[in-house]
Amino acid sequence: MSTSSPPDPRVPQAGPRSASQAPATPIPATGTARDRGAPQAPLAGGTHGPDALRPLLGLVLESLREGAADRGGPFPPGGPEAIAAQIRQAVEPVLPDHGIGAGNALHRLVRAVAYGAADPADPLCAAHLHTPPLALAVAADLAASVLNQSLDSWDQAPAASEVERSVTRALAAEVYPHAPQPDALVTTGGTESNQLALLLARERHGAIQVICGSGSHHSVQRAAWLLGLPAPVTVPAADGALDPVALDDALTELPGPRLVVATAGATDTGRIDPLPEIAAICERHGVELHVDAAYGGPLLFSERHRPLLAGLERADSVTLDLHKLGWQPIAAGLFAVRDHARLSPLAITADYLNPDDDTEAGLPDLLGRSLRTTRRPDVLKIAVTLRSLGRDGMAALVDRTMDSAARFAQLIEADERLELWQRPTLSTVLFRPRGAGDAQTAEIRRTLLMEGRAVLGRARIDGRLWLKATLLNPYASSADLHRLIDLVIDVVIELVEGSTHR
Ligand SMILES: *Cc1c(COP(=O)(O)O)cnc(C)c1O
């Protein structure tokens, strides 16, 4: 057993390892309303909710700790079969005839899922834009779950809707400091935000032709497909960033309503398209511009790095994710528009949610602030994070992360066994062992993953396959970065030895 803390007397004690040891402990009853019978599954809200939650949370936290300790690294070793077998034990039968109790179910499942998790808080877990969330944001998210406000109508979220109003206004003003009426919607992430961008452009201009860089996110293609628009025209990217001359040519050749989608922080490379040039070309052609800043957007918080986003405010709309650089638990997306009026096509009335007479009587009409109906207050954790850290706190996290990536790239440059693609723009570093072929590069990544040693991504750039480190952990140390390199080199040596022994 990995735990050394004394058992919490309030917590139903479940066995640490196996199902058979774990007593089928009923969850603690709230002890009230005996005449109605103590609830077997008490509710989370109200004045009694916190008392019902406390022992369960204690158990959840302990299970998380145990799972992470059992794993002891960034990723569970053994590959899909080993993990599936382990999880089946914890989850099946999924719907037993008689419940095993909250204590058992929580402990076994949370521990098993924590053990089998890719842990973005481990600096060696650096494949994707998969952020390690801040503890304070997770704590706020718990409150969002407990309160369970739904942001589709004011009578389900009187205060949370006001939090959302303040936060979206403030963040819209970060993106558009000079616009008179900027606005922003909270989304589930870049995919939904990009979809909204294409939808609203289509509502204004009809069947638009989307033009984007070849490094743009696949959600742009999917949004065009979903909306019945022609497949986007992709403009070549030089060095990973959209080539403005090629964009100018494409706009000259393609008539009709168009929307240019530029990227500020490409998923594969972290490259930022040359936004001022692109904005100027769009203005000259009278074409609207959407910037997908899902990755790079939070550079706005950093005085040091904000200049990289120059030109962003010239876009008609902007995608921004805070579950990447922003350290929020999923989901925390934003879709910002320069002019609030751009959102008007989303307005809709449903008599049970926002009847006209309620709206005329002054009740806020929330339904037009999303394509979703039931919608959780993801904004609460964002509000708590921004208030808690402030601009300088957010900037410090951004700056540390950017510094880590720069340092990692320097280490690679200084290592003659490795080849660096280019110095990073954001926190993505592409590299490969010198002389390695694509197949070997792919095998290195897979070996590290299967053995749970490190989690790296991959990207095909300039016709070659690269290992991709997407560094999002602001607390990664130099030792962690060295270790990541050592792990790659170890595998290279193992693979070479393995092949010579064959
Ligand atoms: C991550 C990402 C997206 C997709 O965002 P989700 O939050 O995963 O839906 C879109 N564009 C870019 C550039 C991204 O990095």
Side-chain angles (χ1 to χ4, degrees):
M1 194 165 165
S2 56
T3 171
S4 57
S5 59
D8 183 337
R10 296 162 307 185
V11 174
Q13 294 303 304
R17 294 262 176 204
S18 77
S20 53
Q21 293 169 357
T25 318
I27 53 168
T30 50
T32 58
R34 276 213 169 269
D35 47 334
R36 278 177 276 137
Q40 197 200 357
L43 303 177
T47 52
H48 296 298
D51 293 330
L53 265 173
R54 190 170 290 112
L56 299 175
L57 288 184
L59 185 57
V60 166
L61 298 179
E62 190 52 34
S63 308
L64 287 170
R65 211 178 56 76
E66 288 169 9
D70 289 349
R71 178 176 9 91
F75 199 83
E81 262 318 305
I83 292 152
Q86 217 243 343
I87 284 299
R88 276 196 297 270
Q89 280 207 341
V91 78
E92 291 178 2
V94 170
L95 185 62
D97 287 339
H98 302 288
I100 65 169
N104 278 323
L106 269 176
H107 181 252
R108 295 193 58 204
L109 266 165
V110 173
R111 182 174 182 166
V113 173
Y115 167 79
D119 184 357
D122 189 310
L124 302 179
C125 184
H128 300 286
L129 287 160
H130 178 201
T131 213
L134 301 174
L136 64 95
V138 171
D141 213 21
L142 172 68
S145 286
V146 168
L147 296 169
N148 208 35
Q149 303 296 282
S150 185
L151 289 161
D152 47 323
S153 66
W154 188 76
D155 61 1
Q156 298 175 87
S161 59
E162 196 54 34
V163 173
E164 184 171 277
R165 186 141 78 149
S166 292
V167 171
T168 51
R169 276 188 187 164
L171 288 173
E174 289 294 311
V175 177
Y176 294 109
H178 307 297
Q181 286 217 296
D183 202 351
L185 303 181
V186 176
T187 68
T188 52
T191 302
E192 184 184 342
S193 298
N194 287 342
Q195 200 176 300
L196 282 168
L198 269 61
L199 170 69
L200 295 179
R202 187 195 69 179
E203 291 306 292
R204 285 163 74 87
H205 302 290
I208 44 165
Q209 172 65 59
V210 173
I211 303 172
C212 58
S214 56
S216 67
H217 192 261
H218 64 80
S219 59
V220 176
Q221 316 281 327
R222 292 253 266 199
W225 167 69
L226 186 66
L227 293 165
L229 300 173
V233 168
T234 52
V235 166
D239 280 350
L242 194 154
D243 176 0
V245 177
L247 175 65
D248 200 6
D249 291 347
L251 285 170
T252 306
E253 280 165 30
L254 287 163
R258 292 148 298 176
L259 173 72
V260 171
V261 176
T263 307
T267 316
D268 269 353
T269 61
R271 280 284 179 270
I272 297 174
D273 290 343
L275 301 180
E277 286 98 318
I278 291 170
I281 290 166
C282 289
E283 285 156 17
R284 190 144 39 75
H285 286 271
V287 169
E288 290 192 353
L289 172 64
H290 171 69
V291 176
D292 178 358
Y295 180 8
L299 261 56
L300 287 171
F301 299 126
S302 160
E303 212 174 311
R304 242 175 81 200
H305 296 295
R306 193 182 177 115
L308 286 170
L309 295 179
L312 187 68
E313 72 284 356
R314 290 163 75 179
D316 296 279
S317 56
V318 170
T319 288
L320 195 155
D321 270 353
L322 292 175
H323 57 225
K324 293 172 178 174
L325 286 173
W327 300 282
Q328 297 300 298
I330 300 161
L334 288 154
F335 172 68
V337 289
R338 187 168 46 199
D339 181 6
H340 164 79
R342 194 177 183 82
L343 302 175
S344 61
L346 298 175
I348 187 168
T349 305
D351 199 55
Y352 75 110
L353 292 172
N354 58 349
D356 289 341
D357 55 310
D358 265 6
T359 306
E360 277 153 28
L363 300 194
D365 172 0
L366 310 180
L367 203 52
R369 298 196 61 82
S370 181
L371 287 175
R372 289 175 281 159
T373 306
T374 301
R375 190 158 68 80
R376 76 193 299 278
D378 285 320
V379 74
L380 181 57
K381 64 200 173 195
I382 299 174
V384 168
T385 302
L386 298 177
R387 293 270 300 158
S388 161
L389 297 182
R391 189 185 300 282
D392 56 354
M394 292 301 291
L397 292 177
V398 169
D399 294 351
R400 289 182 75 118
T401 306
M402 296 281 280
D403 288 347
S404 254
R407 203 174 328 128
F408 188 61
Q410 280 166 8
L411 294 178
I412 289 166
E413 250 179 337
D415 193 322
E416 60 194 15
R417 299 166 297 180
L418 298 172
E419 180 182 355
L420 179 72
W421 175 61
Q422 284 179 18
R423 297 227 170 125
T425 308
L426 294 179
S427 63
T428 298
V429 181
L430 300 180
F431 66 107
R432 45 189 273 155
R434 232 171 248 292
D438 286 356
Q440 195 191 16
T441 303
E443 200 174 347
I444 292 164
R445 171 183 159 274
R446 218 160 23 240
T447 303
L448 290 168
L449 188 67
M450 292 303 180
E451 295 176 3
R453 285 192 267 177
V455 192
L456 287 171
R458 51 182 272 173
R460 184 169 292 284
I461 305 288
D462 303 336
R464 291 205 295 165
L465 193 67
W466 299 83
L467 295 173
K468 176 171 83 165
T470 310
L471 301 166
L472 285 184
N473 188 326
Y475 307 117
S477 66
S478 277
D480 295 326
L481 302 176
H482 276 287
R483 175 116 186 87
L484 195 48
I485 289 176
D486 289 346
L487 285 168
V488 170
I489 297 293
D490 286 351
V491 175
V492 173
I493 293 167
E494 286 164 26
L495 292 177
V496 168
E497 282 175 355
S499 65
T500 54
H501 290 167
R502 248 172 236 155

